[in-house]
Amino acid sequence: MKHILTALIALLALTATGCKESDNTYNPYTNWQARNAVWFAQAADTARTEIAKAKALYGSQWEGHCKWRMYKSLLRSQDLPGASDDSIVCKIMEKGRGTVCPASTDSVTLHFRGWLMPAQYETAEGGTETYMKVFTQTYFGDFDPLIAAPQQMYVGGTVEGFQTALQYMAEGDDWMVYIPAKLAYNEKSSNAIPAYSTLLYHLYIEKVISK
């Protein structure tokens, strides 16, 4: 979808890239932890700025005029202040017609694609190219909910930040969600996800399946 591609192009401009090792072998994961922390901090700053603008203009009605949200992990105390990376950053691309959000004990059918932060990777020709590596997806090419096949998933079986996002979404919601490493895999790697990775997901909930 065009709005997703536009968002990703904008994200590419925010990234810091890796550097070459002393032996001239390029490593896209140099300083990976620090770079991922900065990338999430940039997203959080954008969200806070846009939310503040909306609140200043619209007061208690700000949510109807702002696409950005920050939600503290539901697995952490909501009564105590926490660090920035205790929260996820969300951008609402389209709001669905659903009114019920899933609980952690529910399941959902959803479409998703997950990216690592923008980084430089070596090309077959020996040069480098900056792009966001996809580490998981339920659809290929441009997203079209009419032809894409969703995946059923147990909400409580996902990583902390992912399940927090799902519990704030309703059927038909189309979001981009930044999950800091702390609320994802942190110091562990998982398949194509390196340790200390901030994750960006496109999430579209098709159906909530209550237990």
Side-chain angles (χ1 to χ4, degrees):
M1 297 175 79
K2 288 184 178 179
H3 59 259
I4 297 175
L5 293 176
T6 301
L8 294 182
I9 291 170
L11 290 171
L12 286 173
L14 297 176
T15 183
T17 57
C19 56
K20 294 197 179 254
E21 302 284 352
S22 58
D23 63 357
N24 293 324
T25 299
Y26 189 79
N27 181 3
Y29 305 112
T30 299
N31 299 323
W32 188 249
Q33 181 177 359
R35 288 161 54 208
N36 275 265
V38 168
W39 190 46
F40 179 76
Q42 290 173 330
D45 285 345
T46 297
R48 282 191 289 262
T49 298
E50 294 302 314
I51 291 170
K53 288 179 181 177
K55 286 183 175 179
L57 289 172
Y58 304 103
S60 62
Q61 304 300 313
W62 72 271
E63 290 183 323
H65 303 273
C66 182
K67 293 185 176 182
W68 291 89
R69 303 286 189 275
M70 287 190 71
Y71 295 120
K72 189 175 183 181
S73 167
L74 292 173
L75 297 181
R76 297 169 190 260
S77 173
Q78 302 298 301
D79 299 323
L80 299 174
S84 177
D85 59 359
D86 283 337
S87 299
I88 58 174
V89 173
C90 311
K91 186 174 184 182
I92 301 171
M93 309 306 289
E94 291 185 16
K95 188 170 178 57
R97 296 183 178 180
T99 58
V100 177
C101 299
S104 61
T105 53
D106 293 336
S107 294
V108 293
T109 56
L110 74 161
H111 307 272
F112 58 84
R113 178 176 286 164
W115 295 267
L116 301 178
M117 70 167 287
Q120 286 188 353
Y121 298 93
E122 284 190 295
T123 65
E125 294 75 22
T128 60
E129 179 181 0
T130 300
Y131 61 92
M132 298 172 69
K133 181 177 286 188
V134 174
F135 61 84
T136 187
Q137 59 188 352
T138 60
Y139 62 90
F140 295 89
D142 292 339
F143 173 59
D144 185 344
L146 297 178
I147 61 174
Q151 179 174 318
Q152 184 168 324
M153 184 176 295
Y154 173 61
V155 175
T158 62
V159 296
E160 189 172 350
F162 197 100
Q163 64 176 284
T164 294
L166 292 179
Q167 289 179 81
Y168 279 103
M169 298 178 73
E171 291 179 359
D173 280 354
D174 188 339
W175 289 15
M176 303 296 288
V177 179
Y178 295 82
I179 301 176
K182 183 178 179 179
L183 302 183
Y185 297 98
N186 210 4
E187 74 277 4
K188 299 179 181 179
S189 59
S190 178
N191 298 321
I193 302 173
Y196 301 109
S197 292
T198 292
L199 308 179
L200 174 63
Y201 280 98
H202 168 225
L203 301 178
Y204 179 99
I205 289 189
E206 186 170 283
K207 185 177 181 182
V208 175
I209 305 170
S210 299
K211 185 175 180 181

